[in-house]
Amino acid sequence: MDTHSTPKAPVTLLGLGDMGTALARAWLAAGHPLTIWNRTPEKAGPLAREGARTVATAAEAVASATGPVVLCLLDDASVDEALDGTDLNGKDVVNLTTNTPAHARQRAHWAEERGARLLDGGIMAVPPMIGRPETGGYILYSGDHALFARHRAALEAPAGAKFVGEDPGHAALHDIALLSAMTGMFAGITHAFALMGPEKDLDQARFATLLAEWLGAMSGAAHGIAAQLSSDNFTEGVTSSLAMMTAANDTLLATAQDQSVDARLLTPYMELMHQRVAQGHGDEGLAGTVGLLRNE
Ligand code: FVH
């Protein structure tokens, strides 16, 4: 038996909200020495009993850090407040706070001005998925690849780590694009349940199973759209044309009206498809609508 296991890198974590607490538990479970700080100190108590070292100020946490300093705070403004007056010189900062690509780039520049290196991250998971690889959660990273490589082992303890580019804004861009797609999916789910709602004899749980299976099957369409965008040929491999879908949309809207359901979650997207068909591109697939949103 190998009794000489490699010591785990120390991690410093600022922010013990729902997500920060889940991250902390994952690092403790993986055997990483963990130093924690939170604005409201009471939240650190349970983690201290589980083995984390607590400190009274963010400045103290950063000063004692010999590994990555991970930020998991509410928003970009809270990062400013938490790090106000701390000496970041020579530190490796990993910012997992959700932000815009522009804020991520500014924050990387801000860190560089203070003598620190920064990786930006976007967490594609909810707290119960952290430390549980089987749930499929992951964290996107962008910025200096050498920095990512140096801390990769520690960063992979809470969830899979995916590096998406040296531009520090790219993790946030991927994060927000994925969350935006999720928002559209939730809009569709909301409309679907509204349609089913008035039928009292329908089984909602059985419908949910059908819905999840159908959305899973249809999500593969993203690959076809990507291929069309890459080749700049929006009719390539089209099996469901915009003309066909626009005609089908009339049936969707008529059914919504019959069921007394407000179709406002669907109509903006349907109008986009209609606009592209009216431009003479009814033979295209969904990739044809992407440029309209970018005003190309
Ligand atoms: N929870 C989730 O489902 C999502 C999943 C995807 C990623 N998000 C992002 O993760 C960041 C943290 O989220 P969270 O769930 O931990 O959020 P809260 O539970 O609300 O905790 C917020 C922490 O931020 C601290 N904080 C707020 N303002 C300040 C400030 N001005 N100075 C210092 N710290 C601040 C707060 O401290 P306290 O209220 O306990 O004193 C918490 O530690 C977030 O970007 C999500 O978008 C989570």
Side-chain angles (χ1 to χ4, degrees), residues 29-30 88 112 121 128 130 138 162 187 196 215 220 224 227 239 241 247 253 267 290:
L88 290 169
E112 199 180 326
I130 297 298
Y138 57 88
K162 295 182 196 265
M196 300 296 287
L215 291 176
T239 52
S241 69
L253 293 175
T267 46
V290 173

Side-chain angles (χ1 to χ4, degrees), residues 4 14 26 28 41 63 74 84 96 99 111 117 161 172 183 207 220 224 245 260:
H4 302 286
L14 309 189
L28 288 173
L74 186 62
D84 185 35
L96 299 183
N99 53 13
R117 294 164 292 265
T183 301
F207 178 66
M245 284 190 274
S260 302

Side-chain angles (χ1 to χ4, degrees), residues 20-150:
T21 298
L23 294 171
R25 291 217 158 92
W27 275 309
L28 288 173
H32 290 266
L34 182 69
T35 298
I36 52 173
W37 170 84
N38 193 61
R39 178 181 62 174
T40 306
E42 291 72 29
K43 286 190 190 168
L47 291 164
R49 288 190 284 281
E50 292 166 36
R53 182 177 83 97
T54 61
V55 290
T57 66
E60 197 182 335
V62 173
S64 65
T66 54
V69 176
V70 180
L71 312 175
C72 188
L73 300 166
L74 186 62
D75 55 16
D76 200 56
S78 50
V79 172
D80 273 328
E81 272 191 50
L83 293 182
D84 185 35
T86 59
D87 180 5
L88 290 169
N89 192 34
K91 303 297 178 183
D92 292 349
V93 179
V94 180
N95 189 11
L96 299 183
T97 305
T98 302
N99 53 13
T100 66
H103 277 143
R105 292 183 187 113
Q106 284 163 16
R107 186 62 68 192
H109 182 64
W110 174 95
E112 199 180 326
E113 283 179 333
R114 285 156 181 77
R117 294 164 292 265
L118 186 133
L119 267 184
D120 192 68
I123 304 175
M124 307 315 301
V126 292
M129 294 164 78
I130 297 298
R132 294 179 57 210
E134 72 280 9
T135 61
Y138 57 88
I139 305 182
L140 300 159
Y141 292 94
S142 64
D144 181 346
H145 188 264
L147 189 60
F148 173 73
R150 187 181 314 151

